[in-house]
Amino acid sequence: MVPLSFPTSFEFCGEEWLLTEGRALYWPRERTLLVADLHLEKGSFYARHGQPIPPYDSRETLERVALAIRETGARRVITLGDNFHDSDGSTRLEDHAAGMLDALTRAVDWVWITGNHDPEMEARLGGMLAEELEIGGMVLRHQARQGETRPELSGHYHPRLQVKVRDRMIRRACAVVSANEDVGGRPSGRMILPAFGAYTGGMDAADPAILAALQPANRIDAVVPAAGKLARFPLWKAA
């Protein structure tokens, strides 16, 4: 599979966007940073169920959010669901991670969009809670809604590109972007963000579930940041 282009930023639905190598999406016009599937406290969740793993995933994830804010100059952060690995996750934050999260939600405008892992997330963490939002004509929700024709940003699927290079299989977290035309004939599309959390796995970007979730579409591509550039790989195209 050969990448089609290598822009440093890209256009989506008539807007400029930047996909950072840290798996965050920045919207310059809105000065907004978007991150999906933080899955905070996944380590402590597994420890409760007899699978002890290092309990510092929340620290690492929040440090990466802070870095993305500094790199982009974002004034607002919007998460796209599955913020905690479970609805009780916020009660297990150790003091250091809780302090980091408190500092972040005070430093910028912060909006939590809830997901299937944390539908009953508490509002006591700072910021605002929402099931979904619409900003500047862009719908923001946790899971892509099949049949949606409006511009949309979502998470949920943890897309990961799998490509073979010199007899080696390389797997990289990626965004999956569809292109379409809405009823008025204007360019439109939808995007599934990569999972941001430290302990998040991934689903093949070309998995039928992902391709189906982004229908209707004219084409669907994987977008991967690497070394300050952006590579675009075709996944599906209408006949």
Side-chain angles (χ1 to χ4, degrees):
M1 193 180 297
V2 179
L4 298 182
S5 58
F6 296 90
T8 55
S9 61
F10 66 106
E11 184 175 302
F12 171 69
C13 298
E15 298 274 352
E16 181 188 10
W17 304 83
L18 172 65
L19 186 63
T20 75
E21 292 197 35
R23 292 178 279 171
L25 181 69
Y26 182 59
W27 189 357
R29 181 172 67 84
E30 295 289 335
R31 299 201 66 175
T32 295
L33 187 76
L34 298 114
V35 290
D37 299 282
L38 301 178
H39 283 268
L40 299 171
E41 292 304 305
K42 184 173 182 177
S44 63
F45 175 85
Y46 275 90
R48 278 188 168 187
H49 292 80
Q51 300 181 50
I53 56 178
Y56 304 114
D57 56 306
S58 294
R59 290 190 189 189
E60 180 181 341
T61 298
L62 293 172
E63 285 170 357
R64 290 175 49 233
V65 173
L67 176 61
I69 292 172
R70 291 196 299 271
E71 288 179 338
T72 61
R75 292 182 177 176
R76 175 169 56 186
V77 171
I78 300 176
T79 71
L80 296 180
D82 286 359
N83 309 297
F84 285 85
H85 192 65
D86 61 290
S87 289
D88 294 328
S90 63
T91 67
R92 299 195 304 274
L93 275 174
E94 44 92 12
D95 290 345
H96 184 83
M100 294 172 66
L101 182 55
D102 180 68
L104 287 171
T105 58
R106 290 175 183 271
V108 295
D109 292 334
W110 191 287
V111 182
W112 303 96
I113 290 178
T114 54
N116 56 292
H117 274 258
D118 51 10
E120 299 175 358
M121 185 177 155
E122 300 177 19
R124 66 180 180 83
L125 295 167
M128 184 183 79
L129 285 178
E131 291 186 9
E132 65 178 59
L133 293 173
E134 184 171 352
I135 298 175
M138 188 74 57
V139 178
L140 313 179
R141 55 169 60 109
H142 175 58
Q143 185 171 353
R145 184 171 297 168
Q146 187 173 1
E148 177 66 80
T149 57
R150 296 172 295 174
E152 177 195 72
L153 299 175
S154 64
H156 181 66
Y157 288 100
H158 304 201
R160 186 177 295 266
L161 182 68
Q162 300 183 159
V163 292
K164 194 171 185 179
V165 179
R166 297 177 183 176
D167 297 323
R168 290 181 56 200
M169 185 62 70
I170 297 175
R171 296 175 176 84
R172 291 284 302 273
C174 67
V176 179
V177 181
S178 72
N180 204 357
E181 290 187 357
D182 69 12
V183 177
R186 300 184 302 274
S188 185
R190 298 154 71 203
M191 188 187 319
I192 298 174
L193 273 64
F196 192 87
Y199 285 177
T200 49
M203 173 186 282
D204 182 3
D207 190 279
I210 292 178
L211 302 182
L214 291 176
Q215 298 298 334
N218 293 330
R219 63 177 297 150
I220 300 175
D221 298 329
V223 178
V224 185
K229 298 179 179 180
L230 211 63
R232 188 181 291 262
F233 295 82
L235 298 175
W236 178 89
K237 188 174 182 179

